[in-house]
Every structure is written in C-alpha cells, then in structure tokens.
Amino acid sequence: MKMMSRKLAMPLLGVLLWVISIHAGTFETATLLPPPLTGFGPSKSIIRNHCDVPKITEKDLNRSVSFGNSVINRMLRLETNLGWSDVHVKKGTPSYGQLIASHPDEEALKQGRDALVATKATIQLMNIFCHKHHLSPTDCSKYISSYSLASTPLESSCQKQHKSCSQEELLSPYRSFDGSCNNEHDSPRGAAFTAYRRLLQAEYLDGIQEPRRAVNKKQLPSARLVSSTLIKETDESHSDLTQAVAQWSEFIEHDLSHTAANKMVHSDSTIECCTSSGNHLSPRYIHPFCAPISVPNDDRFYAQHGVDCMSYVRSITAFRPDCTFGPLEQVNQATHFLDFSQMYGTTGKKAAILRTFDEGQLDFTTKHNKVFLPVSHHPSDDCQLSGDNSVCFLSGDSRVNIQPQVTAMHTVWLREHNRVAKVLSELNPAWDDETLFQETRKIVTAEMQHITYHEWLPLVFGKHYFNKIQKYNNYDENVNPSVSNAFATAAVRALNSLKDGKLNVYKEDRLVNTSINLRNHFNKPSVVEEPDYLDGLVRGMATQSSQQLDLKFPDDISTHLFSNGIFGYDIFSLDIQRGRDHGLPPYTAYRALCGLPEVTQFKDLSDVMSPEVIESLSRVYNSPRDIDLIVGGIAEKQTGDSLFGPTFTCIVADQFLRTRRGDRYFYTNENQPAPFSIAQLREIEKVTLARIFCDNGDDIEMMQPEVFKRISDSNRLMKCDSGEIPKVNLKMWMDSRRKYY
Ligand SMILES: *[C@@H]1O[C@H](CO)[C@@H](O)[C@H](O)[C@H]1NC(C)=O
Ligand SMILES: *[C@@H]1O[C@H](CO)[C@@H](O)[C@H](O)[C@H]1NC(C)=O
C-alpha cells in the first residue's frame, strides 16, 4: 500500500509541474503536456536547407494537390458501383444507430473532402521526397507538416475557417453559436468543425493515415477480440455515486465533442462496411473509408448469431490547425467549449431552427399538457424507428435520442431555458426576443458550467486533482481550449463503464415503479413523453447507483448497442477501433506523458494494474506497447479518490483546466465584454442539479441536495420548495437602466 502511493506520487508531480508551468506562462520548461498550439498563422519555419532534407518547391506542392484530387476523383467509379449495389446503411440495423450517433454535418463533409485531398497530397510528397532520403515515416510526416497549404489551390478552402472577427463580434456580450471569435487573436480557436488537439504526435503506420500496427509489425489484435477478452458483463455498483454521474458525463461529452463518420465523397450516400446480417462484404464492395471490426468465429456472443463483422466507417478528416500538409486529423463537429452546443446548436442556422423567436423561448412541443423537445419531421431518418408514426426529438445534436436518459436531460434543460426566459421577460418587459434569448442562454450555460465544475468534476477525478486545477482558473488567452483527441476518443469514453443497462423508473416515494432495458430504447425516445416517465427517469438518475469505472460493461452496451432486436454493437470495440483510426499512440506513450515510468515488459504495468488484468492484457496483446489507450486507461486501478487511474485522470485534468482557462466567455471570467456582476455570480453559484430537477420535472416534490451522490443520512431527500435546495434569484438580472422609457 505504501509503495503504491509513492509510485502514484509521480504522476501527481507531473500534473503539478505542468500546472505550475502553465501558471508561470513558461510553456517550454517542465511541461507535462505540450504547449497550446500557437494557433493559425504562417507555419513555423524549420530549417529546410539541411543537407539531407529534400527541398520541396511550390510547384511540387501544387502537383501533389493535383495528385490528391485525382485520387479522390478516382473514388467516383467505386462509389457509383456501390450506389448501384445494395450496399448502404439500412434502417433498423446497428449501423444505422451508429450513423445517427456520428451523423456528419454538411460543413464537416465539405471540409473533409478538401482535407482529404491534402492528406493524399502528403502521401505523394512522402513517396517522392522521403523514401530516397531514408527518413522514417514519422520524421518525414513531421517534416512535410512544416509546409503550408497557403499558395496551393487548397488555400482558400482551409482559410475559409479562419475568417477574421469584426470588432462587434469580439465585443459581443454573448458567445457565438459556433464558438468562433472567442479568442481575440485566433478566431477559429475552439470553433465547431475544427480539428481535435493532439497531446502526442499521431501514430500512423505510414506516418499519414494507415492505422498503426503492433510492435512486431503484424496487425493489432481485432478490437472485438480485445474487448471480449477483457470486458466482463457482470457489473458492480458504486457505493456512493448515482446514475446521474454517468448521465451527466454523457451529456457533457455531447457538449464537448462530436466525431463524425464519413459519407461517400461524390454523393450523399451512407457507407456500410459489413452485410446487414453482420458478415464481411466482398472486397469489391468495401469503400476505402471502411475499417470494419473482425469478430472472431468463436466469439462468446456473436458466434451464435453468425456475426463476424462490425461496421466501422473512418472519421471525417479536418484541416490541420495551421493549414499545413501532414497526417490525418479528425474534425470535432461540436464547439470545443463547454457552452451547451448540444442544446443550442453549433451554427447560427441550426440555432435558428431551435428557437421560437418569441419571448426568448426555445421551440418545444406539448404532450399531455407538458413541455417536451420539438420533434423531427423525419422520425424514421433521425431515429431507429420502423415508421414515421413514432416520436423522435430534435435538439442541437444528433445524439439527443440516443438513449432515454439523454433525452430526459435535454428535456429538463429545455424547460429550464424556457423557465428562465419567462422570468426574465416578466422582470424586464422591455427586453426583446433576442435579448431574452441570449441573456437566458448565458445564465443557463453558466448554471451548467457551475454544476460541471463544482458538483460533477470533484467526484469524477477526485478532490485532490480538483484542488490542483482550482488554483488556475483565470482566463488565459494563450491556453488552447480545444478538446484533445485522447480525451474525446478515449478518456471520456471510459465513463460509459458507469452505466447500468437497466434504467429504473421511480415513484416519488423512491420505490421502483418499473424499469426499462437500454437495449430496447436506443434512438427510440417515445417512452420519455409517456405519463410519469420523465419524472420517473429523472428520479432514477438521482436514485439508482452508478456502476464502477472498470472493465465491466453491461451487455446492453457491450453486445446490444443500437440493437436490431437480435444483436447490436459493442461500444468498447468501436471505441478501440476509433482510437486506431484517429492515430492515437498506444497507452504506454500517454502513460509516460503523464509521468509514469516507461514500460518495456508486461510486468512493468504492475505499478497501476492488478496481476489478473496484466495477465488478460498479455493474452491478447503481443507487447505492452501495443495496448490501446482506452484499454490501458480503463485497466488502471483508480488513483486516490478519482474514478480514473493516473493516466486518464491526467488527460481529463488537462482538458477541464483548458476548457475553463481557455474560454473567454467562461461564466467566472471577469474580463469578458459583459461579465456577470458579483451579485449575479453569487446567485449562479447557488445552482445544483437537484434544483434543476426540482424545477423542471412534471411533478417532482423531493430531491436530495447532491444528486450525484446517493440518498443517505447526510444527503437526505428534501422538499423542493424548502430552503434546503437553494434557488437562483433571477431578480439580480432586472435591468433597471433599460426598463422604462
Ligand atoms: C500553385 O497554385 C496556386 C493556386 O492555384 C497558384 O496561385 C500558384 O501560382 C501555383 N504555383 C505554381 C508555382 O504553380
Ligand atoms: C407506474 O407505472 C405505470 C405503468 O408502467 C403507470 O401507469 C403509472 O402512472 C406509474 N406510476 C407512477 C407513480 O409513476
């Protein structure tokens, strides 16, 4: 025990050093994590005239872009053939559920095509200039990344994202919908449809785009084999935490990141990488964007259904942050900020669809006299439904219907927005729709940020780390808020392990009335608007236990995700595959980045993993340096009072520090165009998720003050209208200056 804690002191020291270095503004020294990207601008000049590095001329660059274009154009023939065939994503299949979750927006697709041209161009440059100079793929791709797309035909496409902001935009009291103009010197920083940030250089087999291989140059073990070897389906409950922790985690994830799967480049057609019965396609039908997961023939679940293939379509490519040639990056369709983009939308256009333009309200529907989310006009497209007569909701994010608790959370917050807007309109009769809408959005977003940082985060990565990042909460324009690929693709995904496959629906006396199995409700949200269900689900979040964060997943998500009624997908396999698609280096590299000792043999993992887990890992991986990040991250024992082991704690801490420090519009930042007054901040600080649940259920009478923790003697159920669950006094937003003219 004693030895363990000393070993864990290492990563703690690492974070501390890094935090200190950020604080001191000296990014060059002793940084655990790489400095924030310096942002857009002409790419940093590196010495190109070194004797053994080839010189690449503008003409060469242009030629490579033409080559890139020709590669993309050549895909037309295959895509036309696929169009004639029956190979596309069919409704009702698990692939369709996956398609909804990773639904690509037009902006992402458009950029993705051009960014892919840049990637293909990079491949050609490597072939011409690096092979004969004996540069390793990694060194070569690093070198080619120093060449800018400026002065090539791709310049305008990449620059489009980098529009400069007007003075009016920079001085706006409200954040933009797409996250642009947040940073005064780097307008696209943190905006929707920009690339994820890298903690470590991407690791691709060819340095550019091919998923990495094992250390021994063979294929890595199939993602499903890794998953089925490690994951157990018997889950264990957490003694203190509730499902609200799991549900809030997913809700926040949807705010911070949205990775999209490719569609065909020459049409709007979807890509399917397996047959609809779950078998491998004949090679001539496999789209180059496919990276299907092979399911072993003796799989403990899939074998009985004859399934040997799980579809996986590679993520949409983004331009690199400083518009250079170089390896594949992935686009984040959400804004990188914690700004409720999953509710308000990530473009002005989308936001407009979600508003009534009357009294600052968000659009809604009513059923049984209760307010619900607006509904989709194409339910069988936007949900996994067989016909158009079931309900499917609309919000800022395609994942709003993914499972009933996500829909319930969206519903509660839509009601909160409309509740606040109504109070503000009574307090400020002179305010127009736009003022009411934006002021409400600002307050509601601040409530969400406060709950995330003050209620949820301390429980997720523990008081110890929380106190560390607490000290550094001032806005710093040099801190890049962008979401890291490792956070979005691995660390935050580990929180899925907290889920229960069965959602209990509780009555007011906190007895279970009924329960629903997740597997029957993926992208089928109608249960949410049935009488008593919304309250029952909300009480469920606050009452039912969370599971432990470990290598145990309920089979509702480990074999029945997006189920077709017989089988579904395995969430962990998909996450492993996505990590490889995104070029995430192996677990051992992140571990080292976070300050843990280097690993050369499996037994070196014993500082953070149990012997049984190490044994399972060594059965499925050939070398410890093959272990996928999400696998090693979850396999670690928890450190201190964090739900995560040291590596994920470090990645999550990095993210949430940046998410606050790098956001000019963060609710606590006094140096934004229209900061909250001290009195207003005092009010925002009173909010709890318990208050949100109390105010926005149908008929919820009691809540415990801390809903992320189970009901106990120190966290007893209280009447919602008692003073025990504080209220935000909106009178502080009464605008006496503008009121009566
Ligand atoms: C490269 O392409 C750009 C944009 O099409 C063009 O302006 C430039 O003159 C080209 N340069 C050369 C050397 O061909
Ligand atoms: C309990 O469930 C039944 C049916 O599932 C429903 O009709 C009833 O309204 C529920 N009661 C409460 C108090 O939730």
Side-chain angles (χ1 to χ4, degrees):
M1 210 52 223
K2 194 90 200 180
M3 223 178 85
M4 184 74 192
S5 61
R6 199 175 317 143
K7 280 185 176 155
L8 290 180
M10 279 294 289
L12 298 186
L13 182 67
V15 166
L16 190 63
L17 283 176
W18 158 69
V19 161
I20 289 169
S21 65
I22 282 192
H23 186 57
T26 53
F27 294 105
E28 290 75 24
T29 54
T31 52
L32 170 66
L33 298 172
L37 296 165
T38 43
F40 179 68
S43 52
K44 281 143 269 149
S45 58
I46 68 162
I47 307 139
R48 284 181 189 152
N49 296 331
H50 198 266
C51 50
D52 55 350
V53 218
K55 181 137 173 60
I56 305 177
T57 65
E58 193 180 301
K59 204 161 158 197
D60 298 324
L61 296 177
N62 277 6
R63 230 182 256 151
S64 77
V65 171
S66 313
F67 172 82
N69 267 311
S70 70
V71 172
I72 302 302
N73 289 337
R74 274 202 299 274
M75 282 164 72
L76 177 61
R77 200 140 136 222
L78 171 71
E79 292 193 342
T80 310
N81 286 340
L82 285 172
W84 292 108
S85 77
D86 196 28
V87 183
H88 56 89
V89 179
K90 298 202 179 72
K91 289 184 183 170
T93 61
S95 293
Y96 200 81
Q98 174 70 359
L99 179 70
I100 295 170
S102 55
H103 181 267
D105 291 329
E106 237 170 79
E107 284 88 340
L109 287 167
K110 225 189 276 158
Q111 177 191 168
R113 186 198 176 280
D114 290 342
L116 198 65
V117 171
T119 309
K120 302 295 176 191
T122 304
I123 292 173
Q124 204 215 22
L125 291 171
M126 273 184 80
N127 286 338
I128 296 176
F129 293 97
C130 295
H131 289 183
K132 58 179 173 234
H133 290 84
H134 306 294
L135 284 174
S136 75
T138 311
D139 288 341
C140 184
S141 85
K142 220 184 237 171
Y143 168 62
I144 289 176
S145 306
S146 68
Y147 282 92
S148 170
L149 295 173
S151 80
T152 75
L154 290 173
E155 179 178 16
S156 66
S157 177
C158 189
Q159 297 284 4
K160 220 181 295 163
Q161 299 185 59
H162 299 269
K163 63 150 191 155
S164 54
C165 301
S166 67
Q167 207 54 14
E168 196 189 343
E169 284 170 308
L170 291 173
L171 293 176
S172 166
Y174 313 113
R175 57 173 80 242
S176 63
F177 287 106
D178 66 4
S180 63
C181 309
N182 189 304
N183 188 294
E184 290 173 282
H185 308 291
D186 186 2
S187 62
R189 185 179 275 185
F193 308 109
T194 59
Y196 288 113
R197 176 174 52 93
R198 294 256 176 209
L199 298 178
L200 290 170
Q201 193 184 0
E203 195 170 316
Y204 295 108
L205 177 65
D206 58 352
I208 303 293
Q209 60 161 14
E210 292 299 324
R212 72 184 170 94
R213 291 259 178 101
V215 173
N216 66 8
K217 302 275 188 274
K218 296 202 175 119
Q219 298 275 354
L220 286 166
S222 130
R224 172 59 192 171
L225 180 64
V226 174
S227 170
S228 62
T229 305
L230 286 153
I231 296 293
K232 297 197 175 56
E233 288 163 8
T234 48
D235 228 336
E236 276 165 47
S237 296
H238 195 283
S239 54
D240 303 325
L241 304 182
T242 61
Q243 276 295 304
V245 177
Q247 302 305 335
W248 192 258
S249 303
E250 184 166 13
F251 198 48
I252 292 308
E253 181 194 349
H254 292 181
D255 186 334
L256 291 172
S257 73
H258 194 191
T259 302
N262 271 296
K263 282 188 170 180
M264 294 195 193
V265 272
H266 297 285
S267 70
D268 195 32
S269 302
T270 56
I271 298 170
E272 173 58 77
C273 306
C274 305
T275 67
S276 47
S277 54
N279 299 109
H280 284 289
L281 286 165
S282 122
R284 68 196 177 104
Y285 291 125
I286 299 181
H287 194 281
F289 292 156
C290 278
I293 299 166
S294 282
V295 178
N297 289 327
D298 58 353
D299 189 275
R300 66 165 179 250
F301 173 78
Y302 291 105
Q304 62 188 307
H305 300 295
V307 171
D308 62 13
C309 181
M310 223 183 283
S311 189
Y312 179 88
V313 179
R314 298 194 65 179
S315 302
I316 296 188
T317 312
F319 279 117
R320 299 173 57 74
D322 30 12
C323 283
T324 62
F325 289 86
L328 211 55
E329 296 294 341
Q330 287 75 31
V331 73
N332 184 4
Q333 300 192 106
T335 67
H336 296 257
F337 300 106
L338 190 68
D339 61 355
F340 250 148
S341 58
Q342 81 275 39
M343 178 156 88
Y344 294 112
T346 51
T347 60
K349 210 167 118 193
K350 184 77 199 260
I353 295 172
L354 299 166
R355 292 172 60 174
T356 61
F357 289 98
D358 183 34
E359 303 269 294
Q361 300 273 304
L362 278 169
D363 197 11
F364 59 92
T365 52
T366 50
K367 178 111 185 219
H368 312 299
N369 286 324
K370 308 280 193 275
V371 168
F372 291 96
L373 296 158
V375 294
S376 159
H377 298 301
H378 311 283
S380 68
D381 292 343
D382 296 341
C383 281
Q384 280 181 273
L385 302 169
S386 45
D388 272 345
N389 43 16
S390 284
V391 71
C392 175
F393 296 107
L394 269 188
S395 188
D397 184 286
S398 68
R399 295 163 293 185
V400 55
N401 301 295
I402 199 163
Q403 49 103 344
Q405 290 291 30
V406 169
T407 312
M409 194 70 96
H410 268 275
T411 308
V412 161
W413 282 96
L414 170 106
R415 292 177 180 187
E416 173 68 0
H417 175 101
N418 286 354
R419 185 189 73 80
V420 171
K422 181 141 196 306
V423 176
L424 290 186
S425 80
E426 285 159 10
L427 292 170
N428 301 291
W431 284 7
D432 60 7
D433 167 71
E434 182 67 15
T435 308
L436 284 169
F437 178 82
Q438 295 290 6
E439 285 293 325
T440 302
R441 173 171 170 245
K442 191 168 158 185
I443 292 168
V444 172
T445 304
E447 290 179 331
M448 179 275 296
Q449 290 180 335
H450 187 77
I451 290 167
T452 302
Y453 276 81
H454 291 268
E455 279 196 273
W456 175 80
L457 206 48
L459 297 176
V460 168
F461 68 56
K463 287 237 162 60
H464 183 83
Y465 276 85
F466 182 70
N467 290 338
K468 277 190 198 307
I469 76 158
Q470 266 313 79
K471 296 183 192 133
Y472 307 100
N473 53 10
N474 292 335
Y475 174 64
D476 180 343
E477 63 179 18
N478 295 313
V479 172
N480 185 347
S482 299
V483 172
S484 71
N485 214 320
F487 173 83
T489 310
V492 79
R493 305 290 299 161
L495 292 163
N496 280 317
S497 171
L498 301 177
K499 288 209 178 102
D500 200 312
K502 197 159 106 179
L503 302 177
N504 290 339
V505 180
Y506 291 85
K507 295 183 286 188
E508 188 60 33
D509 58 9
R510 293 328 190 248
L511 294 175
V512 176
N513 185 5
T514 178
S515 61
I516 61 177
N517 291 314
L518 267 185
R519 69 183 66 183
N520 300 326
H521 295 275
F522 290 114
N523 294 305
K524 296 184 186 83
S526 62
V527 67
V528 173
E529 59 170 24
E530 281 171 30
D532 294 323
Y533 267 90
L534 184 84
D535 281 0
L537 286 167
V538 168
R539 291 183 200 112
M541 286 192 235
T543 311
Q544 195 177 348
S545 291
S546 165
Q547 301 295 327
Q548 304 269 11
L549 200 158
D550 53 16
L551 287 162
K552 294 172 186 140
F553 281 64
D555 57 1
D556 285 84
I557 57 175
S558 72
T559 47
H560 290 277
L561 181 70
F562 309 132
S563 177
N564 61 11
I566 301 160
F567 65 86
Y569 280 168
D570 168 17
I571 201 164
F572 200 53
S573 300
L574 294 173
D575 285 336
I576 294 168
Q577 194 77 345
R578 194 172 299 110
R580 296 175 182 178
D581 170 20
H582 290 201
L584 297 186
Y587 158 72
T588 47
Y590 288 93
R591 195 188 122 104
L593 177 75
C594 288
L596 288 163
E598 294 283 345
V599 171
T600 53
Q601 314 166 51
F602 279 104
K603 69 176 168 50
D604 298 338
L605 298 168
S606 64
D607 53 355
V608 289
M609 292 181 198
S610 72
E612 302 79 60
V613 166
I614 296 175
E615 197 276 324
S616 305
L617 288 169
S618 68
R619 259 190 295 139
V620 70
Y621 290 105
N622 192 267
S623 155
R625 295 198 194 160
D626 292 342
I627 299 172
D628 296 279
L629 174 58
I630 188 164
V631 177
I634 299 189
E636 287 182 353
K637 288 187 270 195
Q638 302 185 344
T639 172
D641 53 357
S642 172
L643 294 179
F644 299 103
T647 303
F648 276 180
T649 299
C650 149
I651 292 172
V652 172
D654 165 71
Q655 189 56 57
F656 280 96
L657 190 142
R658 289 166 183 277
T659 297
R660 176 170 60 195
R661 286 208 96 187
D663 178 3
R664 191 160 59 101
Y665 287 97
F666 200 83
Y667 76 106
T668 48
N669 181 25
E670 298 157 11
N671 297 315
Q672 57 180 306
F676 288 125
S677 70
I678 302 288
Q680 289 171 336
L681 269 181
R682 287 292 108 77
E683 292 303 319
I684 297 285
E685 284 161 7
K686 289 182 187 163
V687 80
T688 55
L689 191 55
R691 174 46 61 197
I692 300 293
F693 284 171
C694 275
D695 286 350
N696 302 293
D698 292 335
D699 206 5
I700 292 175
E701 288 169 23
M702 314 253 281
M703 272 290 154
Q704 73 271 32
E706 296 181 82
V707 294
F708 292 118
K709 291 188 185 164
R710 293 182 61 192
I711 299 163
S712 69
D713 281 348
S714 57
N715 191 29
R716 255 179 280 191
L717 281 177
M718 302 284 178
K719 282 231 173 316
C720 283
D721 55 15
S722 74
E724 306 293 334
I725 303 172
K727 285 185 175 149
V728 176
N729 183 354
L730 292 168
K731 287 215 175 87
M732 296 304 160
W733 279 265
M734 190 152 79
D735 190 345
S736 48
R737 286 162 298 142
R738 280 209 257 176
K739 222 163 83 185
Y740 308 107
Y741 289 113

